[in-house]
Amino acid sequence: MNDTGPRVHSSRLVRGLLWVAGTVSLILGLIGVVLPGLPTTPFVLLAAACYAKASPRLHTALLNHRFTGPMLRDWESDRSLTRRTKTIAVGSMLLMVSI
């Protein structure tokens, strides 16, 4: 553990539960990419938060991924998403609702 990164939970049971929650959230986020009406971003953010406490290796993998990385880095640095990300999200929701 270092002082700059998130602290891994000390309980093995809690880490396991966080890993399961993160994995389920990530799967739901991936399904949300192709399934209209199911949001992607909140599930990916939740997965990253769970992995930060359960598995620094998986958290780092999400941060370095070419699709999820920029969104997660923006969220972790500014607690906000870029205007482009918000515009794409709102536009895709409007498109799906109009269809």
Side-chain angles (χ1 to χ4, degrees):
M1 273 189 289
N2 59 23
D3 292 335
T4 59
R7 292 190 174 194
V8 177
H9 202 281
S10 59
S11 167
R12 189 173 182 165
L13 175 64
V14 172
R15 281 195 320 266
L17 292 173
L18 286 168
W19 183 87
V20 168
T23 302
V24 169
S25 296
L26 186 59
I27 290 169
L28 288 172
L30 294 174
I31 292 171
V33 170
V34 295
L35 187 65
L38 187 65
T40 299
T41 304
F43 287 117
V44 173
L45 292 175
L46 179 60
C50 290
Y51 285 157
K53 294 286 188 179
S55 172
R57 182 179 57 87
L58 291 173
H59 184 250
T60 302
L62 278 179
L63 284 174
N64 292 328
H65 192 270
R66 66 180 182 161
F67 294 121
T68 61
M71 173 182 53
L72 292 174
R73 286 189 296 271
D74 287 341
W75 180 259
E76 287 188 357
S77 67
D78 303 326
R79 290 291 185 235
S80 177
L81 300 174
T82 63
R83 183 178 302 272
R84 179 178 183 271
T85 302
K86 292 175 187 176
T87 302
I88 290 171
V90 170
S92 63
M93 286 187 281
L94 287 173
L95 177 68
M96 290 302 136
V97 167
S98 66
I99 291 175

